[in-house]
Amino acid sequence: MTALARRDRLDSKAIVLGVLIVAAKVVVTLPQLRTDLALVAITWVVVISFVVVGVALLSTEDIADANGWNCLVVAAATLPGDLNNAHFPPSVAAVGFVLEPTYLAAAVALVLRYPRARLNRRGRFITAGLVITSVVWRIPLVFFAGDLPSPFHDATVLPNVEAAPWWFDWVWLRAGYLGTIMLLIGAAGLLVIRAVTSRGLIRTSLAPLAIVGAVCALSAAADNLIWVLGIPGPQFEPIALIRNFSAAAIPVALLGDLIRRRGASAAISSHVLQAARSGDVLSLEGALRDVLLDRTLTVRPTSDLTPQSPAAGDKGGPRRSVTVTSAYARTPLVVIEFDVRSVTDEALLRTVLAAVQVGLDNTQLTQELLQRMTELEASRARIVQAGAQERRKVERDLHDGAQQQFLAVAATLAKSDFVSDQELRDVVQNARVGLSDALAELRQLARGIHPAALSQGGLSAALPYLCDQSPLHITLHIDDSVRGRSIAPAVETAMYFIAAESLANAARHAPDSEVVINLTSDQARVNIEISDHGRGGARFAEHGGLVGLRDRAEALDGELDVHSDPCPEHPDDAGSRVSASFPIDGRTV
Amino acid sequence: MSSQYDLRSPDGESLTVVLVDDSALFRQGLAGLLFAAGLQVVAELGNVDALPAVMARLQPNVVLMDVRMPPTHTDEGIAAAQMLRDQFPKVGVLVLSTYAEAEWARRLLANGASGLGYLLKDRVDDVPTLIAAIRRVSAGGTAIDPEIVAHLLRRSTQQPSAMDRLSPRELETLALMAEGLSNTGIGAQLYLSSRTVEAHIASIFDKLPLQHRDTATNRRVLAVLAYLHERESQDPQDSAPQTLRRGATEE
């Protein structure tokens, strides 16, 4: 995916540029910086950005709602810290002091959870640990003060406060803060490990959040370490600045990921769709490798069942395979196999698979359509050709048959110019015989074009007549369900000629066999089957009568099948079976 | 009985005829008719295979031949007629066809008209025309079916041409010229004196750009037919009837 790769390069340039701009800004504004004001301003920015991103996450379907709510919780959790100063009554300030670290737990929960709805076991452990070591462990700090400087702004204003025992600093201040530090380092480690062990799109997507989150957690840990060491002072304020800055960057990283996902989804949709439409498995594989950034991903048709080894040079993590099934035909299309670590995001996977499905379905439908069109064109051409051939045959039958017979009669009658009255009788007698022969010939021909019985009495009347004319021994069954049914005339004609052609074939290949004709119908269709036990010569020969009849059947949305025994399934049988089925009204049901 | 027509060959014998037609029924009927009319049918053939041998052995005056015959049922008769023309120039060949195909007639006469004829089979009902045609081709003349001539004339007069300047009588004369009739024959048909016929013919030759101002009947037929064919093929809106098209589209 060249488009996405190019965007990555642009991103990194812009990032470098943006960092330079910010650094320059910081350097230039340092002389006029008033730390407390800056810290307050930054917390505003943090709160605003968490609220905005939280709302943005809640308004998207790509990311679980828990992440959006978590953003709002982080924004709200920054409030207690602001109560911890002399502007508020001591009791309020005390509550604020105790609850101040909740923002840490909330922020860690957010970055560890994102983009899933639930925290995993380690995430829950770290979050709960942070609540205990930072929030619960702070409660004694409100009431007692030890030798170390207290983070509570003024522990002495509370009543009944006496000097804490010697172990107070160790148990409550140092132990609690150290626990918090360890958990923060753990959280940073988890983030980094997660980003490093993931693959493909997920890795590039998680990297900014991992970096920002790790920086934030580590700077918060360093900030805590100052209290453990008991050396607070304005010289360490830059650490708090870094912590707050990186906290402000968390929503930006989330937003960036969201935009990236959106872009990736759109790109995936169009790119994968395009590749899938090509119908070429290799180009689809290339496209999927591009968009999921997993070079070990494989795509193969479901017909190819050999398990494939992942590409060489990769350590090869656990693999997962997904079968894409046609949406309209419900048949498997391809199997996609990939590194589990590259796609941990089910929404993204669904997008990809949907694009693959749509693209492949599209290709398959197009191909089927083209194939059907080619078949239709061929069949239409054959029908036209068969029509012309039929007309030529009729002309020739007329020319060779009745026309010559009538001309012979004319010649016979012309003899009357030269014969005596006695001979005239013979001339006329000969002419009468010739005429009646010619008429019989015409009648036969007319029946071949369209049997009169068919127009007058339908198939039920024409078939017995057809059987009577045949030299074969025929058993004709006409189901009661057919009699009295109104069948489309075109269907009746097609079925009549299928029977006629089959009988002609049987006369050639099974002259001594009994022929059985079965005419049945159900709700929507009428069926005919003509079977014999002869040598089984019936088949679709090129330019043969059965091919023409099949075209005719298909033009009426009917089907014509020919079966010849012996075949692999009926090695002991012999004979031919021609069966046809039509919609009763001749139209598509 | 045969006194009705003069059916003697140039050497005074009764005309001998060979029939070639794949329809046995028609052959039989025609043979009966010709026999009754006083001709000698010396051989009947169902196809042209044995024709050269039969010709060499029996040396008939006339061959009556169908066009569509085995093996391809297309134009065997025309090809066979041209073969006879080359190998037996003294034998008259009268092609009998179910259809009035101008194209077949043109091909038949492509290398000269002498002793050749093309007649519709329907003429078996018109004994005088049939006998006259047989006589004409046996005597080295030409016989073209009136149907074909009428068709060509109709097509030619449908468009503005030099034909417009012909009087009705001259048109009738032109048609009979095309059928292969001699001046005497034309006079007999139109109840005109030979002098009047000659005047009409001179006038036709004046008005039409015919290729040969030839008075020999056979070459005159060719000239007139060639002229009519040419007029026909110039027709811009081709609405040629079926009979004409078939010759061109079927091999």
Side-chain angles (χ1 to χ4, degrees):
Chain A
M1 147 149 261
T2 50
L4 227 152
R6 209 178 300 128
R7 178 128 348 138
D8 280 346
R9 274 201 299 283
L10 273 179
D11 270 357
S12 57
K13 276 183 198 162
I15 287 166
V16 171
L17 192 64
V19 168
L20 287 178
I21 293 169
V22 172
K25 178 78 175 173
V26 170
V27 171
V28 173
T29 53
L30 269 180
Q32 36 174 327
L33 183 69
R34 275 180 54 202
T35 319
D36 52 346
L37 194 62
L39 285 174
V40 170
I42 288 169
T43 56
W44 288 5
V45 172
V46 170
V47 168
I48 290 169
S49 48
F50 269 107
V51 168
V52 168
V53 171
V55 171
L57 287 181
L58 284 173
S59 68
T60 171
E61 287 177 3
D62 301 350
I63 309 293
D65 281 355
N67 293 281
W69 292 118
N70 202 335
C71 280
L72 296 181
V73 169
V74 174
T78 62
L79 295 178
D82 296 321
L83 300 177
N84 179 20
N85 63 47
H87 301 293
F88 296 98
S91 54
V92 174
V95 171
F97 168 71
V98 170
L99 293 180
E100 184 179 4
T102 48
Y103 83 91
L104 271 181
V108 165
L110 174 64
V111 292
L112 289 182
R113 150 189 294 136
Y114 186 84
R116 292 192 211 92
R118 290 173 56 83
L119 277 166
N120 61 14
R121 208 165 52 81
R122 282 179 195 157
R124 285 199 299 275
F125 172 78
I126 288 178
T127 308
L130 280 175
V131 170
I132 292 165
T133 60
S134 60
V135 179
V136 178
W137 233 250
R138 267 194 178 194
I139 296 170
L141 299 185
V142 175
F143 301 103
F144 304 99
D147 295 332
L148 288 172
S150 172
F152 188 37
H153 79 282
D154 187 6
T156 59
V157 298
L158 286 177
N160 307 322
V161 169
E162 291 178 20
W166 64 268
W167 46 265
F168 174 86
D169 284 345
W170 284 101
V171 171
W172 295 115
L173 207 152
R174 285 193 166 123
Y177 273 56
L178 273 174
T180 304
I181 289 168
M182 310 261 274
L183 289 169
L184 285 172
I185 292 172
L190 271 187
L191 279 174
V192 171
I193 289 169
R194 220 177 90 192
V196 169
T197 55
S198 63
R199 280 287 175 278
L201 193 64
I202 293 302
R203 176 192 251 180
T204 58
S205 161
L206 280 181
L209 188 62
I211 294 167
V212 169
V215 168
C216 184
L218 292 177
S219 55
D223 189 43
N224 278 8
L225 192 61
I226 294 163
W227 294 100
V228 172
L229 299 175
I231 46 169
Q235 70 274 25
F236 296 114
E237 271 171 1
I239 292 177
L241 263 180
I242 292 174
R243 180 197 63 196
N244 290 5
F245 266 128
S246 48
I250 288 176
V252 178
L254 294 180
L255 205 59
D257 178 66
L258 191 64
I259 291 168
R260 187 184 198 89
R261 275 164 192 280
R262 283 275 164 87
S265 283
I268 283 164
S269 297
S270 69
H271 188 61
V272 172
L273 196 64
Q274 210 173 2
R277 268 189 188 149
S278 75
D280 175 22
V281 170
L282 278 182
S283 82
L284 177 61
E285 188 175 86
L288 287 175
R289 285 179 174 188
D290 276 350
V291 295
L292 295 179
L293 301 176
D294 176 7
R295 281 190 292 158
T296 67
L297 181 143
T298 59
V299 177
R300 62 206 150 88
T302 42
S303 51
D304 175 13
L305 291 174
T306 52
Q308 296 202 344
S309 53
D314 194 277
K315 272 176 269 174
R319 317 221 10 113
R320 176 174 167 192
S321 75
V322 179
T323 304
V324 179
T325 306
S326 165
Y328 75 101
R330 302 271 159 224
T331 51
L333 296 168
V334 293
V335 177
I336 301 174
E337 205 178 287
F338 51 86
D339 193 327
V340 170
R341 294 167 300 170
S342 66
V343 186
T344 51
D345 177 359
E346 290 298 320
L348 181 72
L349 187 64
R350 275 198 301 277
T351 307
V352 171
L353 296 182
V356 171
Q357 185 189 48
V358 169
L360 289 179
D361 268 357
N362 194 304
T363 312
Q364 196 156 338
L365 278 172
T366 309
Q367 273 170 356
E368 281 178 19
L369 206 65
L370 282 176
Q371 198 180 339
R372 285 214 66 176
M373 251 170 66
T374 315
E375 278 167 18
L376 269 177
E377 273 169 14
S379 135
R380 196 177 58 176
R382 283 200 299 269
I383 287 174
V384 171
Q385 218 171 2
Q389 208 173 349
E390 195 63 26
R391 292 165 85 107
R392 275 201 295 276
K393 185 176 168 297
V394 167
E395 186 274 337
R396 189 159 147 199
D397 286 350
L398 275 172
H399 173 273
D400 293 351
Q403 262 179 336
Q404 305 305 318
Q405 282 171 311
F406 282 121
L407 286 168
V409 170
T412 305
L413 284 174
K415 251 162 76 175
S416 59
D417 287 357
F418 309 100
V419 298
S420 66
D421 289 354
Q422 283 81 15
E423 289 168 315
L424 197 58
R425 251 181 135 62
D426 289 342
V427 167
V428 171
Q429 181 58 30
N430 284 344
R432 285 171 68 176
V433 170
L435 262 184
S436 82
D437 285 351
L439 285 171
E441 170 97 18
L442 269 184
R443 200 159 40 237
Q444 183 99 19
L445 186 65
R447 190 160 53 233
I449 296 169
H450 187 85
L454 199 54
S455 333
Q456 281 147 27
L459 207 50
S460 316
L463 282 182
Y465 191 71
L466 178 69
C467 295
D468 286 346
Q469 301 293 308
S470 168
L472 296 160
H473 177 49
I474 302 169
T475 311
L476 172 66
H477 295 296
I478 298 181
D479 202 81
D480 287 341
S481 62
V482 182
R483 295 184 194 276
R485 285 291 281 276
S486 130
I487 305 172
V491 168
E492 282 195 317
T493 308
M495 294 184 92
Y496 176 89
F497 281 106
I498 287 168
E501 177 75 20
S502 304
L503 289 181
N505 281 341
R508 273 201 296 278
H509 299 289
D512 304 321
S513 161
E514 187 195 4
V515 178
V516 178
I517 301 181
N518 253 316
L519 184 65
T520 58
S521 76
D522 54 35
Q523 202 75 38
R525 294 182 86 83
V526 55
N527 318 295
I528 192 165
E529 187 183 271
I530 306 100
S531 52
D532 65 56
H533 299 290
R535 295 198 302 272
R539 65 197 163 86
F540 288 114
E542 201 180 347
H543 305 306
L546 285 172
V547 170
L549 287 169
R550 183 177 61 185
D551 290 337
R552 199 158 160 178
E554 283 170 0
L556 294 165
D557 205 31
E559 291 159 11
L560 176 66
D561 281 319
V562 172
H563 183 81
S564 254
D565 284 326
C567 69
E569 281 160 46
H570 314 95
D572 300 330
D573 289 352
S576 301
R577 191 170 69 245
V578 176
S579 49
S581 160
F582 289 84
I584 266 183
D585 57 4
R587 280 181 284 109
T588 309
V589 181
Chain B
M1 236 50 75
S2 59
S3 57
Q4 240 177 303
Y5 310 100
D6 181 5
L7 294 168
R8 280 165 303 144
S9 63
D11 53 15
E13 297 290 314
S14 172
L15 284 174
T16 52
V17 178
V18 168
L19 292 186
V20 190
D21 195 307
D22 59 324
S23 165
L25 218 56
F26 177 72
R27 231 164 45 217
Q28 207 181 330
L30 182 59
L33 173 63
L34 295 181
F35 175 74
L39 292 151
Q40 286 186 51
V41 177
V42 292
E44 292 180 31
L45 302 176
N47 57 56
V48 297
D49 296 345
L51 191 55
V54 168
M55 296 296 294
R57 189 155 49 84
L58 299 177
Q59 305 207 323
N61 300 113
V62 184
V63 176
L64 296 190
M65 187 146 58
D66 193 8
V67 178
R68 280 165 56 163
M69 281 184 291
T72 66
H73 293 275
T74 51
D75 58 355
E76 279 78 4
I78 303 292
Q82 281 164 343
M83 181 271 290
L84 289 181
R85 186 72 322 186
D86 294 343
Q87 295 182 14
F88 308 94
K90 288 189 176 155
V91 179
V93 181
L94 182 59
V95 169
L96 291 178
S97 166
T98 318
Y99 300 113
E101 296 275 8
E103 177 61 18
W104 281 346
R106 194 187 62 73
R107 280 178 49 200
L108 180 69
L109 305 184
N111 299 317
S114 126
L116 288 173
Y118 185 113
L119 223 54
L120 267 183
K121 278 188 175 177
D122 298 23
R123 303 296 163 226
V124 297
D125 198 31
D126 181 2
V127 182
T129 305
L130 178 66
I131 300 296
I134 292 175
R135 269 182 50 73
R136 274 219 301 286
V137 297
S138 74
T142 307
I144 300 301
D145 197 277
E147 183 92 355
I148 291 178
V149 173
H151 167 76
L152 289 176
L153 272 178
R154 208 162 39 239
R155 308 270 304 156
S156 297
T157 48
Q158 271 167 6
Q159 51 190 317
S161 73
M163 303 266 291
D164 299 343
R165 298 205 300 264
L166 299 184
S167 68
R169 253 317 190 222
E170 285 165 354
L171 269 178
E172 284 173 344
T173 308
L174 183 73
L176 293 174
M177 278 162 71
E179 284 173 32
L181 266 63
S182 64
N183 289 5
T184 325
I186 295 171
Q189 285 272 325
L190 299 178
Y191 305 105
L192 296 173
S193 69
S194 357
R195 188 169 287 235
T196 320
V197 171
E198 277 162 27
H200 282 319
I201 290 173
S203 169
I204 290 170
F205 276 114
D206 279 346
K207 290 175 180 174
L208 298 186
L210 291 173
Q211 284 162 341
H212 308 286
R213 298 181 68 101
D214 201 328
T215 48
T217 317
N218 291 336
R219 287 200 291 272
R220 195 170 69 187
V221 171
L222 287 181
V224 174
L225 286 180
Y227 176 73
L228 294 180
H229 267 297
E230 195 188 332
R231 305 260 12 112
E232 181 198 53
S233 59
Q234 277 171 1
D235 190 351
Q237 333 138 301
D238 186 16
S239 54
Q242 188 91 29
T243 50
L244 269 178
R245 277 186 195 275
R246 185 178 285 112
T249 51
E250 279 188 7
E251 61 274 61

